[in-house]
Amino acid sequence: MNKDPIQAAVARALDLDPWLTNYKEDLALRERNYLAKKEAILEGAPSLSEFANGHHYYGFHRTEGGWVYREWAPAAAHLFLVGDFNNWQPYTHPLQAIGNGNWEIRLDGKDALKHGQRIKVLLQYQNQDHYKIPLYIRRVIQEVREDGSIDWLGQIWEPEEDYEWKTPNFKLSRHVPPFIYEAHIGIAQEEGKVSSFREFADLTLPRIKKSGYNVIQLMAIMQHPYYGSFGYHVSNFFAVSSWFGTPEDLKYLIDKAHSMGMGVLMDLVHSHAVKNEAEGLSFFDGTQEQFFVPGPRGFHETWDSMCFNYGKTSVVHFLLSNLKFWLEEFHFDGFRFDGITSMLYWDHGMGTDFTDYSKYFSLNTNTDAVTYLTLACELVHSLFPNALLVAEDMSGMPGLCLPPDHCGIGFDYRLSMGVPDLWIRNMKKDDHDWSVNEIYYEVTTHRPMEKRINYAESHDQALVGDKTLFFWLADQEAYWHMSKDDDNYIIDRAIALHKMIRFITLTAGADGYLNFIGNEFGHPEWIDFPRLENGWSYHYARRQWHLADDDLLKYSYLMEFDRAMIRFAKKTGIMGPKNIQLLWTDEHRKIVAYRNNAYIFLYNFHPTDSVENFVLPINREGSYQVVFSSDRKEFGGFGRIDEDYIYQTQTMDMADFDQGIRIYSPARTVLVLRKVADSEGNEVDAEARDAIDQMVAAEAKAQQALVIQQMKKSLDRK
């Protein structure tokens, strides 16, 4: 007898996380909502993919005899097409209502509309005329009038020839951990201006490739009227941001990245929309309810924007079509979903401490948003199984990265937002007050079966009014003491801790890693977009690559370290499965050591105290050698570690362990050791190393099973 699919999904979720037992009815509701919404959608379409074809129906399309333009505006009284094609005469080209809130106009002749012509749609509601930009427009441009005022207009975008892809069949590998390089196109060059897609492709992509990153995450791709919004106040969801160039320019960038073996993610904003009525979706047909939640809940006060109504099928249709459009038309390899927390909770997660599971399953949970995100993940993976989906959620919603048949939402990875918060907290403490136990806990903790993208600092910290990690560490000394012949204690500290922070963030339990453009070499200044307060200056809206390229400056140390760190992570295969074993922590000495597969990681976070003969527990006899050290001179270190020396394990008279080695552990340094010979002195070959890795993985899995068993017993006692 077949088991109820909803109860089967709940059972799978509880097997993974017994702490969810008290919320099995909430999990069942989550699964029921998802299946019911999907069933309702499939009544009118054979598949999710067919349902998500709004961009193939709405907007402007060539026909055999001319053009057709369709719009969705259920509450409007009349619609008229206006633009260059009719000298902006307001009422000469009315659209006809064709049912279900849809409108249509057909124009005879292939030249009725021409590539590059400016366009708008005039809607009549509340007995007034309202000029708007069509919902599915592919390009929007800014026009500055003689009086200094600004207008945004749609533009017909139908080049005579389609873009010819040079690498049309590129696919991200599901078996390679993502090393993500997050970037904003406009600030990516040295010159103080809005930089372009093609400049990024030709000048910045080679830098990213050289550094070893294999995925690029692009911000601000969808059209946004205010450049300084970082792209998070989207107005036109199917239009490539004209700040940086044309749609073909973006295709050129993505195509070139693919030819270099790098995937490209879009930083996708489906969590809210700009409130502008002239440029965006807000009150398009005269009602807030067309796209957004009715009443006050439809307005996000903190973000000054509008909140989508994910329970409305027509809104789900618009958003799912948007996903499919970017994947099909521009060959994106996936999405980083921005602001998931804001979507999941009616209070947007503002001021809520997610300290227990009850916070995830309550009347504050927007179940419609949960359902939409589940459908979105399913759609993307059905279209492109290799696509990468990353969720930005600070709440830690259970099941975010589980498949729907486990009561999950379906993302591949979650951004570990608690990790950068940890480092900022430490920046505000004395170095002696850093807790190595807290550090280890934060960088390794995860939900069952959840894959995490770890990162040391967010792009928000790079904005004016905040500080990057390097500026927290170095402050104004970065302006005066970054020459390699300038000895400065503050800079030495900043470089040492910057390296350690990034290394433990990457190597201690991460499934993927993310860096924001320039942070890898300690970019010294924040980003300040042009605005009235700074005289509309672009001086800080750029990246100073010359600092990292200058071999006379210490920035090059950090750049070289970042490249070596990425190479090390790739070569050793330490990313991915959670084979982390804590070996030792010492809060007084600020030492933490752990094993990741066959590698031993030893950190000394103490600001001053090096340990001459630190006893490092290993519990496996053999010979070990340092294979990586942050103290190398090419990384700005002092070269205190002899990496040719072989350490032989000894029997230690210790209560907590048997076998160990004695090793010099310098202050503010990380060392990595690898077994190079067994207890008989025989060199460990590749096959033996693989066996060691498998053994460690089995031990870690057994430990996880024991923890789950203990959790179940605890629940039974309750």
Side-chain angles (χ1 to χ4, degrees):
M1 183 175 181
N2 293 330
K3 194 173 183 180
D4 179 359
I6 294 176
Q7 294 306 315
V10 172
R12 295 186 193 104
L14 296 183
D15 283 343
L16 291 174
D17 189 352
W19 290 105
L20 287 168
T21 299
N22 292 335
Y23 305 96
K24 58 185 179 182
E25 293 303 323
D26 297 277
L27 293 175
L29 176 63
R30 176 190 290 187
E31 189 74 6
R32 191 177 301 113
N33 288 343
Y34 152 68
L35 292 174
K37 191 68 172 181
K38 183 177 177 180
E39 182 180 2
I41 285 173
L42 297 184
E43 286 182 358
S47 66
L48 274 181
S49 178
E50 290 296 321
F51 174 76
N53 276 335
H55 53 296
H56 292 307
Y57 180 77
Y58 295 106
F60 296 89
H61 301 279
R62 287 186 185 273
T63 65
E64 290 187 5
W67 291 77
V68 61
Y69 163 56
R70 299 187 187 93
E71 197 59 89
W72 177 60
H78 302 284
L79 277 76
F80 302 89
L81 185 62
V82 297
D84 292 336
F85 77 100
N86 71 348
N87 294 318
W88 297 90
Q89 297 300 311
Y91 311 118
T92 60
H93 289 75
L95 278 70
Q96 304 300 316
I98 57 175
N100 297 319
N102 297 319
W103 301 78
E104 179 184 275
I105 184 173
R106 292 182 177 272
L107 304 174
D108 294 332
K110 66 177 184 178
D111 291 330
L113 296 174
K114 296 179 180 179
H115 173 67
Q117 285 184 328
R118 300 171 304 164
I119 207 86
K120 281 195 177 185
V121 60
L122 171 61
L123 291 91
Q124 290 183 336
Y125 54 81
Q126 298 175 356
N127 298 317
Q128 291 184 336
D129 291 349
H130 303 269
Y131 287 89
K132 308 272 187 166
I133 296 174
L135 291 178
Y136 285 79
I137 198 73
R138 305 292 177 89
R139 181 163 167 80
V140 176
I141 57 173
Q142 184 188 78
E143 193 170 86
V144 181
R145 301 190 181 98
E146 292 182 0
D147 62 2
S149 61
I150 293 174
D151 192 18
W152 292 92
L153 304 106
Q155 191 173 34
I156 300 297
W157 201 256
E158 285 285 339
E160 288 297 322
E161 296 183 2
D162 292 336
Y163 179 85
E164 184 177 348
W165 292 89
K166 308 298 188 299
T167 315
N169 299 316
F170 176 85
K171 290 184 177 65
L172 274 177
S173 172
R174 301 288 292 181
H175 306 294
V176 177
F179 296 88
I180 303 174
Y181 197 89
E182 182 185 25
H184 182 285
I185 298 295
I187 68 165
Q189 307 309 321
E190 288 261 0
E191 190 176 352
K193 64 174 186 176
V194 180
S195 298
S196 70
F197 288 126
R198 290 195 174 256
E199 287 173 320
F200 188 92
D202 295 338
L203 301 176
T204 310
L205 285 184
R207 289 183 175 275
I208 301 172
K209 177 66 176 177
K210 184 177 181 180
S211 292
Y213 293 87
N214 55 18
V215 177
I216 300 157
Q217 182 176 295
L218 295 180
M219 309 172 68
I221 294 302
M222 292 190 285
Q223 180 65 37
H224 49 288
Y226 178 48
Y227 179 56
S229 74
F230 234 149
Y232 290 118
H233 276 187
V234 174
S235 53
N236 312 102
F237 283 74
F238 291 83
V240 174
S241 174
S242 56
W243 288 111
F244 315 125
T246 69
E248 282 64 45
D249 294 337
L250 175 58
K251 291 177 182 179
Y252 171 79
L253 186 163
I254 295 173
D255 201 10
K256 189 162 187 175
H258 288 170
S259 72
M260 301 169 77
M262 297 185 289
V264 185
L265 306 183
M266 177 196 282
D267 192 351
L268 183 87
V269 186
H270 278 187
S271 49
H272 62 132
V274 72
K275 69 177 183 180
N276 301 24
E277 296 182 20
E279 295 90 26
L281 309 181
S282 185
F283 287 86
F284 182 81
D285 71 349
T287 65
Q288 178 175 319
E289 292 78 7
Q290 183 183 6
F291 282 99
F292 307 114
V293 178
R297 274 186 167 179
F299 181 68
H300 198 305
E301 291 187 3
T302 304
W303 291 353
D304 194 32
S305 56
M306 306 302 294
C307 302
F308 284 107
N309 185 350
Y310 303 106
K312 195 171 180 179
T313 300
S314 51
V315 173
V316 172
H317 175 247
F318 179 85
L319 295 175
L320 291 182
S321 299
N322 191 236
L323 293 172
K324 186 176 180 180
F325 166 74
W326 291 107
L327 292 170
E328 284 186 338
E329 184 70 19
F330 291 93
H331 295 199
F332 275 100
D333 301 292
F335 303 99
R336 177 258 198 195
F337 276 67
D338 175 70
I340 295 293
T341 310
S342 179
M343 301 170 69
L344 293 174
Y345 309 99
W346 288 112
D347 68 355
H348 310 300
M350 299 290 181
T352 299
D353 290 327
F354 293 90
T355 53
D356 62 81
Y357 278 36
S358 66
K359 302 295 179 63
Y360 304 114
F361 304 101
S362 71
L363 293 178
N364 185 41
T365 304
N366 186 343
T367 56
D368 290 330
V370 174
T371 299
Y372 164 67
L373 290 171
T374 309
L375 292 169
C377 292
E378 181 176 352
L379 170 69
V380 172
H381 284 140
S382 68
L383 291 169
F384 298 97
N386 285 50
L388 188 64
L389 297 178
V390 180
E392 188 208 26
D393 171 37
M394 55 75 63
S395 76
M397 169 65 82
L400 193 68
C401 296
L402 292 179
D405 63 359
H406 285 63
C407 292
I409 294 176
F411 284 97
D412 298 302
Y413 295 88
R414 178 176 68 86
L415 287 171
S416 298
M417 300 182 72
V419 176
D421 290 344
L422 159 76
W423 297 122
I424 290 300
R425 289 197 302 273
N426 282 341
M427 293 301 108
K428 300 174 182 179
K429 298 178 182 178
D430 184 275
D431 291 5
H432 292 85
D433 296 329
W434 288 25
S435 167
V436 292
N437 284 299
E438 181 188 24
I439 291 171
Y440 180 79
Y441 174 83
E442 192 63 60
V443 297
T444 58
T445 300
H446 63 98
R447 294 205 180 281
M449 302 300 290
E450 179 182 73
K451 292 195 292 185
R452 307 191 313 162
I453 303 291
N454 275 10
Y455 58 115
E457 53 189 325
S458 71
H459 60 241
D460 291 332
Q461 291 167 228
L463 288 171
V464 65
D466 208 332
K467 291 182 180 181
T468 62
L469 281 181
F470 189 71
F471 228 64
W472 272 106
L473 293 164
D475 206 62
Q476 63 179 348
E477 302 300 310
Y479 291 116
W480 315 110
H481 299 287
M482 288 299 285
S483 175
K484 287 183 178 179
D485 61 3
D486 187 342
D487 291 331
N488 182 276
Y489 169 78
I490 293 176
I491 295 300
D492 287 344
R493 169 185 176 268
I495 289 176
L497 288 177
H498 196 267
K499 290 182 294 185
M500 294 183 73
I501 286 169
R502 303 177 94 74
F503 201 75
I504 196 170
T505 298
L506 171 61
T507 62
D511 299 281
Y513 179 74
L514 179 141
N515 169 71
F516 178 68
I517 182 171
N519 285 353
E520 69 274 19
F521 68 86
H523 197 284
E525 293 174 336
W526 54 34
I527 300 165
D528 190 6
F529 286 103
R531 54 195 175 93
L532 181 63
E533 292 79 1
N534 65 17
W536 302 103
S537 170
Y538 288 89
H539 178 73
Y540 294 106
R542 60 194 179 102
R543 298 285 86 178
Q544 300 182 59
W545 299 109
H546 71 278
L547 298 175
D549 295 340
D550 192 336
D551 288 335
L552 299 178
L553 297 179
K554 295 177 182 178
Y555 294 105
S556 62
Y557 288 148
L558 296 179
M559 178 64 89
E560 181 54 38
F561 177 82
D562 194 75
R563 290 170 178 169
M565 178 180 72
I566 299 296
R567 287 196 302 269
F568 174 82
K570 287 183 173 181
K571 180 181 178 181
T572 58
I574 58 172
M575 309 284 282
K578 302 298 187 294
N579 298 330
I580 307 298
Q581 289 181 308
L582 181 63
L583 299 176
W584 198 257
T585 61
D586 186 329
E587 286 288 11
H588 176 69
R589 288 179 168 180
K590 304 302 175 191
I591 287 176
V592 60
Y594 56 86
R595 178 185 282 113
N596 186 338
N597 287 351
Y599 293 86
I600 309 295
F601 295 77
L602 173 62
Y603 296 80
N604 183 340
F605 279 97
H606 201 283
T608 57
D609 293 355
S610 300
V611 184
E612 285 289 340
N613 287 293
F614 177 71
V615 179
L616 174 63
I618 292 182
N619 292 328
R620 293 199 183 94
E621 290 183 312
S623 300
Y624 291 80
Q625 183 177 6
V626 172
V627 294
F628 193 94
S629 167
S630 66
D631 198 48
R632 291 175 185 170
K633 288 187 176 181
E634 62 263 34
F635 302 152
F638 300 100
R640 292 166 289 183
I641 301 300
D642 182 358
E643 296 189 30
D644 293 324
Y645 185 82
I646 304 299
Y647 299 86
Q648 183 64 46
T649 56
Q650 308 170 37
T651 300
M652 301 293 178
D653 185 18
M654 306 288 286
D656 298 299
F657 61 91
D658 181 18
Q659 292 292 318
I661 64 172
R662 293 186 180 275
I663 187 171
Y664 175 45
S665 176
R668 291 183 179 141
T669 298
V670 54
L671 307 178
V672 186
L673 297 97
R674 182 68 154 91
K675 191 173 185 178
V676 293
D678 60 23
S679 59
E680 303 299 324
N682 300 312
E683 185 176 347
V684 180
D685 60 20
E687 184 176 350
R689 288 177 179 176
D690 289 342
I692 293 172
D693 291 348
Q694 291 173 12
M695 179 177 65
V696 175
E699 290 178 358
K701 186 175 182 180
Q703 284 185 348
Q704 184 183 45
L706 179 62
V707 170
I708 291 176
Q709 184 180 16
Q710 291 172 340
M711 290 166 62
K712 287 182 177 179
K713 288 181 179 179
S714 176
L715 288 172
D716 290 341
R717 286 195 297 269
K718 292 179 180 180

